[in-house]
C-alpha cells in the first residue's frame, strides 16, 4: 500500500448537511466504523424546520433510515406510529435531533458551519496526473466567520437545494423587475395559518407554480379566507391544465396526496381560488415605496394578450435548483438539462417520469469522475422534482457500503414503496383550455406496493412510458398535507410530464 493511500485512509469522510439524508449517511458511516464529520450551515434539520408546519404525504414507515433506527433503538427511542403522517417539526423533534445525539454521531456534527467549496487538495480542476491520490478538500466558514480547510478521503454532499429557488420568469430566467419586487415575494411554503398569518390575512396573494408546494399554500390561504375577511387568492400557472396536480384522488397510493388534489379542485371549482391558466410572467412593476406604497403589478402573457395581476404578496412555488458554484473545482459529471449525475438523469427526467417512476440506484449511478465525491439526496436530483427521502436513504447506504469496500452491498439496492396512481390521460382532458392538445401517460400506474431488489443498477430506464418500462421500477413518494396544514413535496417545481402544455 502506497504512502498516499495510507494518508487517504487516515482521513475522515465529510458529509455536507445534517438533514434526513446527511444524518442517514452519518448513521451508516458510524455502523461501518468509518471516521466522519458532518458540516451543517444551520442547526440539525434546519431546512426541515423551515417548513415545520407542513405535514408529510408519506407516513413514518417511509421517513426514517434503517441504520438510523438501529442506532436509535438502544437509546430507548421507538418509531412513532408507522402509519401516522409527521409534520416537519415532528420529524426534527422526534427523529433528527435524537439521531444527532446517539453515540457514534454525537460530537461529529459541526453546526453553524457553511461549506463554500469542495476541491482536490493542492491542485485545481484542470490537473489530471495523480489527482486521485490526493485528498479532497472542503472549505467551510464557521460560526465565528473563520475559514477552515478540511481534508477528506471522500465527500458526500447532501446539502439539498432549499434556498435556491427557481425564478418566476419564463425560460429559466428572472423576469424583468423581479429583483426589485423581492419585498413582495414569499418562499414556497409560508406558514399562512401560523407565524406568517399577518402577511396574508385580509390581503390579495398570488401563488405561482403547479407543484404540491403551491397546492399546500393555496389550501392554507383558502382556510385563512374563511376567518379573515378580504383575503383573496389567485393561482397562476403556465400550463393549460392543472389536472396533473389534482392527481389521482382515491387512486393515489398515498391517500393524503390524493386528498390534497381533490380538495384543491373543490376549492377552485367553488370559487375560493381564482385560477389563471396559460399565464407566463414577463415582468414585475413595483412601486418606489415598496409594499407600504401599494401592490406589485405582475405582468404576464396570456392567450388573449397581456394581462396584469396586482397582488400584495407573490408566493414563488416554482421549485429549486442546486448550488453548483461550490463544486467548480471538482470534476462532477452532470446532465445539462436536469443538473443531476449523468447516469441518474435518464431515470428522473421530469419530461418522462411524471408519475414518479424512478429505478433503484446507488453508488455506481451517483459516482463522478472525481473519485470519492458524491451528490446525494435532493441535490443529486438537480432540478428534477421527483425526489423521495427513502430513495435518499438508499443512496447513502450504497455509497457508504462502497466506501467501506463492500461492493456486493453497494450494488444490492432495495426499496419498498407505494405506487402513485396519478398518471391517467383522462385526468388531463378533464381540465383543458379550449384548443389545448391532449396528452398524458396512458393508463394509471398500479396502486399496490412494489418491492425491488437488484444486484446491478441499470444506467437507463426501459421504454418511454410514464409508468416505466419492462424493468422493475420504484416510485417516488412526495410529501403532502392534511386539513388546515400544508404538505411538503418531492415535486418541487411541478413541471414534470406536462404533455398538456402548448409550450414553455
Amino acid at each position: 500500500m502506497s504512502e498516499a493511500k495510507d494518508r487517504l485512509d487516515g482521513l475522515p469522510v465529510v458529509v455536507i448537511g445534517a438533514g434526513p439524508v446527511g444524518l442517514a449517511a452519518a448513521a451508516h458511516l458510524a455502523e461501518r466504523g468509518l471516521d466522519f464529520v458532518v458540516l451543517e450551515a444551520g442547526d440539525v434539520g434546519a431546512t426541515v424546520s423551515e417548513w415545520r408546519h407542513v405535514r408529510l404525504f408519506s407516513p413514518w414507515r417511509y421517513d426514517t433510515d434503517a441504520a438510523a433506527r438501529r442506532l436509535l433503538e438502544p437509546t430507548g427511542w421507538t418509531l412513532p406510529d408507522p402509519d401516522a403522517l409527521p409534520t416537519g417539526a415532528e420529524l426534527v423533534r422526534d427523529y433528527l435531533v435524537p439521531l444527532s445525539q446517539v453515540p457514534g454521531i454525537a460530537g461529529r456534527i459541526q453546526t453553524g458551519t457553511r461549506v463554500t467549496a469542495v476541491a482536490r487538495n493542492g491542485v485545481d480542476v484542470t490537473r489530471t496526473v495523480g489527482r486521485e491520490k490526493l485528498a479532497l478538500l472542503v472549505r467551510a466558514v464557521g460560526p465565528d466567520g473563520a475559514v477552515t480547510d478540511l481534508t477528506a478521503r471522500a465527500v458526500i454532499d447532501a446539502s439539498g437545494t432549499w434556498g435556491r429557488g427557481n425564478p418566476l420568469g419564463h425560460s429559466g430566467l428572472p423576469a424583468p423587475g423581479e429583483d426589485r419586487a423581492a419585498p413582495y415575494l414569499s418562499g414556497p411554503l409560508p406558514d399562512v395559518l401560523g407565524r406568517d398569518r399577518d402577511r396574508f390575512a385580509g390581503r390579495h396573494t398570488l401563488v405561482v407554480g403547479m407543484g404540491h408546494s403551491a397546492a399546500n399554500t393555496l389550501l392554507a390561504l383558502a382556510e385563512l379566507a374563511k376567518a379573515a375577511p378580504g383575503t383573496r387568492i389567485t393561482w397562476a400557472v403556465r400550463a393549460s391544465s392543472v389536472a396533473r396536480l389534482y392527481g389521482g384522488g382515491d387512486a393515489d397510493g398515498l391517500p393524503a396526496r390524493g386528498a390534497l388534489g381533490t380538495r384543491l379542485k373543490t376549492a377552485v371549482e367553488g370559487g375560493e381560488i381564482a385560477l389563471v391558466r396559460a399565464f407566463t410572467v414577463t415582468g414585475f412593476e413595483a412601486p418606489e415605496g415598496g409594499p407600504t406604497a401599494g401592490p406589485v403589478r405582475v405582468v404576464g402573457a396570456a392567450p388573449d394578450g397581456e394581462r396584469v395581476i396586482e397582488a400584495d404578496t407573490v408566493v414563488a412555488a416554482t421549485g429549486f435548483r442546486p448550488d453548483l458554484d461550490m463544486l467548480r473545482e471538482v470534476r462532477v459529471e452532470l446532465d445539462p438539462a436536469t443538473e443531476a449525475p449523468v447516469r441518474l438523469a435518464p431515470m428522473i427526467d421530469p419530461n418522462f417520469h411524471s408519475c414518479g417512476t424512478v429505478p433503484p440506484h446507488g453508488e455506481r449511478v451517483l459516482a463522478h469522475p472525481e473519485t470519492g465525491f458524491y451528490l446525494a439526496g435532493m441535490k443529486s436530483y438537480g432540478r428534477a422534482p421527483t425526489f423521495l427521502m427513502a430513495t435518499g436513504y438508499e443512496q447513502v447506504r450504497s455509497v457508504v457500503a462502497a466506501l467501506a469496500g463492500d461492493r456486493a452491498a453497494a450494488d444490492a439496492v432495495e426499496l419498498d414503496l407505494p405506487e402513485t396512481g396519478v398518471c391517467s390521460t383522462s385526468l388531463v382532458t378533464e381540465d383543458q383550455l379550449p384548443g389545448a392538445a391532449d396528452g398524458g401517460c396512458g393508463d394509471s400506474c398500479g396502486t399496490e406496493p412494489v418491492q425491488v431488489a437488484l444486484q446491478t443498477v441499470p444506467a437507463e430506464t426501459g421504454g418511454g412510458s410514464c409508468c416505466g418500462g419492462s424493468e422493475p421500477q420504484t416510485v417516488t413518494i412526495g410529501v403532502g398535507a392534511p386539513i388546515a396544514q400544508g404538505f411538503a413535496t418531492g415535486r418541487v417545481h411541478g413541471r414534470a410530464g406536462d404533455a398538456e402544455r402548448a409550450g414553455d
Side-chain angles (χ1 to χ4, degrees):
M1 184 178 293
S2 69
E3 181 182 347
K5 184 67 165 58
D6 288 337
R7 188 163 57 249
L8 290 182
D9 281 348
L11 295 175
V13 176
V14 171
V15 178
I16 305 175
V21 176
L23 289 183
H28 284 278
L29 288 162
E31 273 203 329
R32 294 273 184 175
L34 300 179
D35 190 19
F36 68 93
V37 61
V38 180
L39 305 180
E40 165 58 49
D43 294 321
V44 168
T47 292
V48 179
S49 294
E50 288 289 317
W51 45 267
R52 57 187 176 272
H53 56 289
V54 169
R55 194 173 296 277
L56 277 67
F57 283 137
S58 48
W60 272 110
R61 69 173 71 251
Y62 298 112
D63 298 334
T64 60
D65 171 75
R69 294 194 299 271
R70 290 191 293 268
L71 292 180
L72 280 162
E73 286 165 357
T75 70
W77 178 91
T78 57
L79 179 69
D81 180 355
D83 295 319
L85 303 174
T87 63
E90 291 165 346
L91 188 68
V92 173
R93 183 194 67 203
D94 299 336
Y95 173 59
L96 297 181
V97 169
L99 177 58
S100 72
Q101 298 170 346
V102 300
I105 295 180
R108 294 177 179 266
I109 303 174
Q110 298 180 19
T111 58
T113 304
R114 181 175 297 278
V115 173
T116 60
V118 182
R120 189 61 80 169
N121 192 31
V123 298
D124 66 20
V125 74
T126 66
R127 169 73 177 269
T128 297
V129 177
R131 184 177 186 87
E132 71 283 353
K133 298 178 182 179
L134 300 173
L136 287 162
L137 180 146
V138 179
R139 177 162 291 178
V141 180
D144 59 356
V147 177
T148 303
D149 286 346
L150 293 81
T151 50
R153 61 167 292 204
V155 174
I156 301 173
D157 183 354
S159 58
T161 57
W162 184 270
R164 294 182 65 88
N166 288 321
L168 286 160
H170 63 85
S171 306
L173 303 174
E178 188 168 333
D179 54 345
R180 295 190 298 277
Y184 292 90
L185 304 184
S186 162
L189 287 169
D191 189 358
V192 171
L193 299 173
R195 67 182 184 273
D196 301 321
R197 187 181 191 278
D198 290 346
R199 183 172 188 180
F200 299 96
R203 300 174 182 272
H204 181 206
T205 300
L206 170 64
V207 178
V208 181
M210 206 172 74
H212 290 96
S213 295
N216 297 336
T217 300
L218 289 164
L219 289 174
L221 286 165
E223 190 74 15
L224 177 63
K226 296 175 183 177
T231 302
R232 294 188 296 126
I233 313 155
T234 299
W235 176 24
V237 299
R238 285 183 293 167
S240 58
S241 168
V242 294
R244 172 171 52 79
L245 184 53
Y246 289 162
D250 293 341
D252 198 312
L254 290 166
R257 183 171 53 194
L260 179 69
T262 300
R263 288 169 49 217
L264 180 60
K265 182 177 182 180
T266 299
V268 171
E269 293 179 346
E272 300 172 67
I273 298 168
L275 172 61
V276 180
R277 294 177 289 185
F279 181 86
T280 300
V281 177
T282 58
F284 289 83
E285 298 173 0
E288 289 295 331
T292 59
V296 65
R297 288 166 49 87
V298 183
V299 183
D304 55 352
E306 184 177 278
R307 179 168 181 173
V308 176
I309 301 173
E310 292 190 350
D312 298 301
T313 300
V314 180
V315 177
T318 48
F320 303 96
R321 56 185 61 184
D323 177 8
L324 301 178
D325 291 342
M326 61 186 282
L327 307 180
R328 289 183 62 86
E329 294 302 324
V330 284
R331 296 182 176 184
V332 291
E333 193 174 22
L334 301 176
D335 174 68
T338 61
E339 296 181 345
V342 290
R343 285 177 288 276
L344 176 59
M347 306 178 188
I348 63 173
D349 188 337
N351 293 291
F352 304 107
H353 291 279
S354 61
C355 73
T357 54
V358 178
H361 60 278
E363 188 271 344
R364 290 190 189 275
V365 168
L366 298 172
H368 290 275
E370 197 70 78
T371 304
F373 177 79
Y374 301 93
L375 295 173
M378 191 74 181
K379 192 167 183 178
S380 72
Y381 276 45
R383 298 195 192 191
T386 50
F387 176 71
L388 164 69
M389 275 194 297
T391 304
Y393 295 156
E394 188 63 4
Q395 286 180 340
V396 294
R397 184 208 59 78
S398 175
V399 167
V400 172
L403 292 176
D406 189 346
R407 192 71 255 171
D411 288 343
V413 184
E414 300 180 5
L415 286 173
D416 183 3
L417 307 173
E419 270 285 9
T420 61
V422 294
C423 187
S424 170
T425 301
S426 63
L427 292 175
V428 174
T429 56
E430 286 175 1
D431 182 70
Q432 197 81 9
L433 279 179
D438 288 346
C441 302
D443 294 336
S444 295
C445 304
T447 57
E448 293 300 315
V450 293
Q451 184 167 356
V452 187
L454 299 182
Q455 291 302 114
T456 58
V457 180
E460 296 182 352
T461 58
S465 168
C466 169
C467 297
S470 58
E471 295 298 316
Q473 303 287 300
T474 59
V475 182
T476 61
I477 306 172
V479 272
I483 295 175
Q485 294 212 35
F487 287 86
T489 174
R491 301 180 62 189
V492 292
H493 51 63
R495 296 186 296 147
D498 277 342
E500 76 274 15
R501 184 183 298 160
D504 193 5

